[in-house]
Amino acid sequence: MEAKAARAPEKLQAVRGMNDVLPDEAALWERFEDAARRVFALYGYRNLRVPIVEPTPLFVRAIGEVTDVVEKEMYTFEDKLSGESLTLRPEATAGIVRAAIEHSLCYERPQRVWLAGAMFRHERPQKGRYRQFHQFDAEALGFPGPDVDAEQMVMLARLWRDLGLADSIRLHVNSIGDAGERRAHRAALVAHFERHGSALDDDSRRRLHTNPLRILDSKNEAMREVIESAPKLLDRLGTESRAHFDGLQALLAEAGLAFEVNPRLVRGLDYYNRTVFEFVTDRLGAQGTVAGGGRYDGLFEQLGGKPTPACGFGMGIERMILLLRESGAGCAGAPLAYLVHAGTAAAPLARRVAEMLRDAGIGVVLNAGGGSFKSQMKKADASGARFALVVGDDEAASGTVGVKALREAGEQVALPAVELAPWLAAQTRPND
Ligand code: ATP
Ligand code: MG
């Protein structure tokens, strides 16, 4: 790095591809997060939290050396104080499995867990693709499936319904078999791509002999045809993998969940086997996958644990928020009431009233910093609150509070301070 001496200080800005979420937007995030947490709890998933930073070898071993994520997208750095190589987590599963092994989480019984938080990948920033992004992630640890595999898809479908998005999201499923089946398929795959060597891009040519399955996950449009015509692993599944996949499809059908079998679906991380799935939308352009996951029965052993079958998925929050916006969702997170007050006798009553309302669970913004009634009423209006509450010296003398509806017509009414909380509570609507 070159030193930049004697220059005017540069304007400080967020790192490229890493975004601020301002309050208006964050209100929609909260709405989404509340819905996801509620739905996950309905299925018995419990929250688990792991560090954002992990030793680099964890991700290299879990995700696979010859993958986009490990080859070119990881934020890896040396901890100068210890000399250790650390990485900002690019995905959640590796850390969760590391934690499950470290704490023998599945020793007595299998576990359903979820995690929400920031992930980091050095990708080219564009709509729906960022360098810091956020996921909701759910993992069923210690279950051979296909029951929990289907349950996760049913759970996500419930979330789409709750959010009013069911019509814009479709489910793709596939089975990529077991390691042995993939090895047997590999020769046919390599032969196909060698026959069409000139159609391959540099990455794919390099991966032809190290990780040919990865070629199927390429997003390069120019390679679409050669990928479409490749032999399908789905046609070569062994008896057990076939039965697992048939079982999954029967469960999805029983649940009334529409799905498409997509034999090209492989996913970008190496740890998957058997079930893989993605929920996709046409409404976000190229970044159409809103959630993706699958089974990873070998990962625990690969990371030094006991054999533990497992299945999980990650869901990109930014893409969900974009989709909610596309669907016209708005949510400003406004308080129910804004309390304006002027006068020395009014201020203590105003503070007392505000705390009384909060005792009753009613959100109220208490005007701060003074100002005339008129300017305070302007702030009340701009806050998005449905009601302005007014306390002047007259009200202070009579122990009443003026209530004025800001979003509907109506005269200001006066209520005794003690009646205010029940009166407002009766006015709340589901979205307040
Ligand atoms: P894509 O194919 O779009 O690159 P992926 O297969 O790399 O996605 P996963 O590793 O399965 O994604 O992560 C699960 C979800 O996280 C994705 O379906 C997507 O919603 C979200 N996601 C992944 N990478 C990004 C990113 N760089 N920015 C925003 N969201 C992302
Ligand atoms: Mg990706």
Side-chain angles (χ1 to χ4, degrees):
M1 277 276 150
E2 256 174 63
K4 286 182 182 162
R7 281 242 216 111
E10 280 175 39
K11 199 158 85 185
L12 290 173
Q13 285 184 326
V15 175
R16 185 165 134 79
M18 304 197 181
N19 301 312
D20 302 308
V21 181
L22 302 181
D24 278 353
E25 176 92 357
L28 197 53
W29 281 59
E30 288 191 291
R31 198 184 115 195
F32 170 76
E33 288 163 354
D34 286 347
R37 271 194 291 267
R38 199 184 64 82
V39 169
F40 288 1
L42 289 177
Y43 289 80
Y45 280 77
R46 297 187 302 153
N47 189 213
L48 167 150
R49 300 169 190 228
V50 299
I52 287 174
V53 180
E54 297 271 5
T56 305
L58 171 68
F59 299 115
V60 177
R61 267 161 75 184
I63 296 169
E65 242 161 313
V66 188
T67 55
D68 279 352
V69 172
V70 169
E71 280 182 340
K72 43 192 173 191
E73 295 173 1
M74 291 208 302
Y75 281 90
T76 295
F77 57 96
E78 186 198 83
D79 177 347
K80 292 212 174 69
L81 299 178
S82 69
E84 194 181 2
S85 178
L86 303 177
T87 294
L88 300 185
R89 65 183 179 199
E91 58 97 56
T93 307
I96 292 174
V97 170
R98 197 248 334 118
I101 296 171
E102 197 167 323
H103 304 285
S104 304
L105 196 63
C106 303
Y107 183 69
E108 288 187 332
R109 70 191 81 88
Q111 300 279 342
R112 288 175 173 85
V113 295
W114 65 268
L115 173 150
M119 308 293 154
F120 301 83
R121 296 184 193 174
H122 201 280
E123 302 199 68
R124 190 168 69 76
Q126 53 197 296
K127 182 182 170 190
R129 193 175 294 286
Y130 313 101
R131 291 181 173 172
Q132 174 176 329
F133 62 100
H134 299 79
Q135 279 186 353
F136 259 86
D137 192 88
E139 314 285 351
L141 309 174
F143 299 90
D147 48 3
V148 290
D149 316 26
E151 187 183 71
Q152 289 183 344
M153 299 175 215
V154 168
M155 176 166 89
L156 280 172
R158 177 182 295 278
L159 178 60
W160 313 147
R161 285 200 303 279
D162 279 11
L163 295 168
L165 296 173
D167 290 342
S168 25
I169 301 178
R170 291 171 292 118
L171 172 60
H172 286 186
V173 297
N174 189 23
S175 174
I176 56 168
D178 294 331
E181 289 152 12
R182 282 200 297 280
R183 259 196 309 278
H185 180 60
R186 191 188 153 110
L189 205 57
V190 172
H192 168 82
F193 286 127
E194 274 178 340
R195 269 198 307 282
H196 300 89
S198 57
L200 300 184
D201 59 19
D202 287 348
D203 263 349
S204 302
R205 217 165 285 140
R206 198 164 42 75
R207 289 170 179 177
L208 186 54
H209 295 285
T210 48
N211 198 346
L213 205 64
R214 278 282 66 78
I215 299 177
L216 299 177
D217 193 43
S218 166
K219 291 189 175 64
N220 186 344
E221 272 301 309
M223 284 175 44
R224 185 196 278 268
E225 210 168 300
V226 63
I227 288 174
E228 280 297 320
S229 59
K232 303 184 181 75
L233 182 53
L234 196 54
D235 297 334
R236 298 170 152 256
L237 294 184
T239 323
E240 283 182 32
S241 290
R242 186 76 245 173
H244 195 276
F245 193 45
D246 289 346
L248 172 72
Q249 293 180 67
L251 286 164
L252 294 177
E254 180 199 286
L257 211 61
F259 63 93
E260 185 184 316
V261 175
N262 175 358
R264 304 295 164 210
L265 184 60
V266 290
R267 321 255 327 106
L269 318 171
D270 274 355
Y271 51 62
Y272 289 112
N273 71 305
R274 293 197 175 171
T275 309
V276 288
F277 65 96
E278 285 189 352
F279 280 94
V280 298
T281 178
D282 296 328
R283 301 173 66 174
L284 297 181
Q287 273 57 253
T289 307
V290 290
R295 181 155 283 286
Y296 48 92
D297 296 330
L299 186 57
F300 274 73
E301 274 172 288
Q302 209 172 304
L303 297 179
K306 296 202 183 71
T308 308
C311 185
F313 65 82
M315 163 170 56
I317 304 184
E318 284 81 356
R319 292 186 195 177
M320 292 308 307
I321 301 301
L322 284 169
L323 197 53
L324 282 167
R325 280 247 182 273
E326 287 272 315
S327 317
C331 183
L336 184 65
Y338 189 106
L339 209 168
V340 309
H341 59 96
T344 42
L349 176 62
R351 285 191 286 271
R352 217 167 47 244
V353 164
E355 283 303 306
M356 265 164 50
L357 293 180
R358 293 162 187 152
D359 285 343
I362 295 168
V364 54
V365 174
L366 178 61
N367 187 76
S372 67
F373 260 124
K374 196 169 164 218
S375 76
Q376 290 191 41
M377 284 304 282
K378 272 194 187 156
K379 287 185 192 155
D381 196 39
S383 77
R386 272 179 62 207
F387 297 99
L389 308 177
V390 181
V391 179
D393 285 337
D394 289 352
E395 283 83 4
S398 58
T400 60
V401 176
V403 181
K404 177 145 181 45
L406 294 171
R407 314 287 150 206
E408 307 133 53
E411 289 300 301
Q412 181 169 319
V413 296
L415 290 174
V418 290
E419 282 174 27
L420 191 59
W423 187 90
L424 282 171
Q427 311 292 316
T428 53
R429 296 185 293 228
N431 285 335
D432 282 331

